[in-house]
Amino acid sequence: MDVRSQLAMVFHLDKCLGCHTCSVACKNVWTNRPGAEYMWWNNVETKPGTGYPTRWEDQEQYRGGWERTGSDAPRLRSTSRLRMMANIFHHPHMPTLDDYYEPWTYDYGTLFNAPEGPDQPTARPVSLVTGKPMDPQAGPNWDDDLGGSAVYAAHDPNLDALTPFERQQLFAVERLIWFYLPRTCNHCLNPACVAACPSGALHKRGEDGIVLIDQDRCRGWRACVPACPYKKTFFNWQAGKSEKCILCYPRIEAGEAPACFHSCVGRIRYLGVLLYDASRVASVAAAPDDKLVEAQRSMILDPNDAGVVREAIAAGIPSSVIASAQRSPVFRFVREWKLALPAHVEFRTLPMLFYVPPLSPVIAHRADGGALENAPQDPFGDGDLARLPLKYLARLFGAGNDAPVRYALRKEQAVRAYRRAVTVGDITLDAAGEMLRSADSSVEEAEAIYQLTSLCAVDDRFVIPSSYREQAMEAPG
Ligand code: SF4
Ligand code: SF4
């Protein structure tokens, strides 16, 4: 066993409002510089939708992440030693500026300084790349809340999992629904961006696993951009270097949560330490698609296990990090409750950002008297009455395997029913207890999930070891 520690994240999608406060906080802190205008290290997408850059999930187009080669360690899709030389000045799978969007501002000077006249002055859009007037045709949130759905949402690559009839149903008025998917760098355990860089400029920090780009070593080859399947490294066209989310490590070292976490209005974000077995990275990344979620979960170690603690101390992990891992909300959501799942685990980068899938309303039945009845007890069974089809969520959060998604949704629904029994009373506690049992849960667990989801204080959502601060103070330079 090779125990390492990783600062990991959970986003609870049932709580996201799609307000974009997180994206704006990040933009104001990190990417309001020349050459970085088009970058959104944190962005929030409407799903179904094509996202940013457009259709980023389609690896036939972008060739990001790793591909399986039988039982051997997976290999990079985007490059290899040989292809590196061939593609060093031109990579055929690099997203273009149009795949992101051409950033623009407005000609505010004309608006504010126009002389008095018969017409209302306007501020025309001006390209931040060319400085010339432009007519924006796309932006990072052009399809927010399914705006322009005929053009955008219908092209979501995850819809390939549905039959034509199911697709039609998804966009039928009575079923029409969407959810928000906030995205940042996943600070992966098997980061394709690090493996692809010919200059060795990318690295994963030993103490907390944050993936960083050394700006002095970066030579602007951009190999990291096609390699990252989540498209979370960006090329600064003015500096000539690549950039990415740094998980606000200066804030982490001061004991503060990253700006997007701190500002999150819906309080959907959780941050905490995971201990994991690094000796299993290659074998887990090579697991078959339908075993990937469980394989990744199984390499996360129980920080309360005496044997794991012994190995962690032997590996030089500070006691404050181990104590922090024992209080980690991420460990509870991911390993203990199995509620949070990685997005597109089939890209095999072993992302360290996990999502609690959205518990969309289920389709209700109209009773004879006209009143809406509750849907059947198990809407996630074979009939799949969830408005967001399970198959769709399984493509996003289960590598096509619906079992882990169904497990999480059943548990979320049972917890909701239990709380309804406690507070509203239109479900009996016995019936709610039965739902919890059949969802592999209990009253004690439901209370704990409810506490961490709804009531907890900021110190319970963000559990940051104090030793990160001490290590930063002791670091040379
Ligand atoms: Fe690298 Fe992309 Fe993973 Fe971030 S999400 S660590 S940029 S591969
Ligand atoms: Fe969602 Fe929070 Fe971002 Fe708002 S700030 S969009 S609630 S993740």
Side-chain angles (χ1 to χ4, degrees), residues 184-188 190-194 202 211 224 227-233 244 349 351:
T184 73
C185 168
N186 299 289
H187 298 280
C188 309
N190 188 31
C193 57
V194 174
L202 281 117
V211 174
C224 54
C228 171
Y230 301 91
K231 291 291 161 279
K232 282 298 176 187
T233 56
K244 65 179 288 301
T349 61

Side-chain angles (χ1 to χ4, degrees), residues 15-22 44 182 263-269:
K15 300 172 68 182
C16 180
L17 317 168
C19 64
H20 302 277
T21 311
C22 48
V44 183
S263 64
C264 176
V265 177
R267 301 182 180 179
I268 80 157
R269 296 175 177 231

Side-chain angles (χ1 to χ4, degrees), residues 20-296:
H20 302 277
T21 311
C22 48
S23 304
V24 173
C26 177
K27 166 101 351 227
N28 283 337
V29 176
W30 298 116
T31 59
N32 58 353
R33 296 166 285 112
E37 296 93 343
Y38 79 100
M39 294 180 199
W40 293 89
W41 290 0
N42 181 105
N43 74 300
V44 183
E45 295 170 8
T46 296
K47 284 288 181 191
T50 50
Y52 160 86
T54 185
R55 288 179 64 84
W56 62 270
E57 293 154 291
D58 181 358
Q59 301 313 333
E60 293 307 312
Q61 178 178 345
Y62 290 118
R63 313 288 301 159
W66 302 84
E67 60 191 349
R68 205 161 166 249
T69 53
S71 56
D72 294 341
R75 69 167 173 237
L76 280 176
R77 272 169 161 253
S78 65
T79 191
S80 63
R81 272 171 200 239
L82 272 180
R83 279 182 291 159
M84 179 81 71
M85 294 310 294
N87 293 334
I88 203 147
F89 294 112
H90 166 71
H91 199 293
H93 303 293
M94 186 84 69
T96 66
L97 191 60
D98 285 342
D99 292 321
Y100 297 95
Y101 73 111
E102 185 171 341
W104 72 90
T105 183
Y106 292 93
D107 177 14
Y108 293 109
T110 303
L111 186 64
F112 294 129
N113 303 323
E116 196 176 324
D119 301 317
Q120 174 77 25
T122 58
R124 290 181 66 192
V126 177
S127 167
L128 281 166
V129 179
T130 64
K132 295 186 176 146
M134 65 178 281
D135 180 17
Q137 296 294 325
N141 287 100
W142 212 247
D143 57 344
D144 229 11
D145 299 350
L146 294 188
S149 63
V151 182
Y152 293 99
H155 290 104
D156 181 329
N158 302 297
L159 294 175
D160 294 351
L162 308 186
T163 64
F165 178 71
E166 288 167 332
R167 278 167 171 245
Q168 202 186 354
Q169 285 289 298
L170 184 63
F171 294 111
V173 171
E174 72 276 14
R175 191 156 181 165
L176 193 63
I177 194 160
W178 65 85
F179 67 97
Y180 302 106
L181 185 71
R183 303 201 303 116
T184 73
C185 168
N186 299 289
H187 298 280
C188 309
L189 294 187
N190 188 31
C193 57
V194 174
C197 177
S199 308
L202 281 117
H203 62 281
K204 195 163 171 61
R205 290 214 306 193
E207 66 268 38
D208 52 19
I210 296 175
V211 174
L212 298 171
I213 301 177
D214 183 332
Q215 294 290 291
D216 289 334
R217 293 184 75 170
C218 177
R219 292 285 171 268
W221 297 121
R222 286 177 273 181
C224 54
V225 178
C228 171
Y230 301 91
K231 291 291 161 279
K232 282 298 176 187
T233 56
F234 302 85
F235 184 66
N236 183 315
W237 48 270
Q238 195 149 96
K241 311 259 181 186
S242 289
E243 300 179 0
K244 65 179 288 301
C245 157
I246 59 173
L247 201 57
C248 288
Y249 73 82
R251 288 180 59 91
I252 299 264
E253 288 166 2
E256 298 286 340
C260 56
F261 284 68
H262 181 84
S263 64
C264 176
V265 177
R267 301 182 180 179
I268 80 157
R269 296 175 177 231
Y270 299 82
L271 187 73
V273 171
L274 291 179
L275 300 181
Y276 69 98
D277 183 357
S279 67
R280 293 191 55 213
V281 167
S283 63
V284 168
D289 278 1
D290 61 340
K291 306 260 183 327
L292 265 170
V293 170
E294 193 43 51
Q296 181 174 354

Side-chain angles (χ1 to χ4, degrees), residues 189 274-277 280 295-303 331 334-335 352 354:
L189 294 187
L274 291 179
L275 300 181
Y276 69 98
D277 183 357
R280 293 191 55 213
Q296 181 174 354
R297 194 183 278 143
S298 71
M299 69 189 291
I300 297 167
L301 302 169
D302 182 351
F331 178 78
V334 176
R335 231 313 284 266
M352 284 290 110
F354 301 84

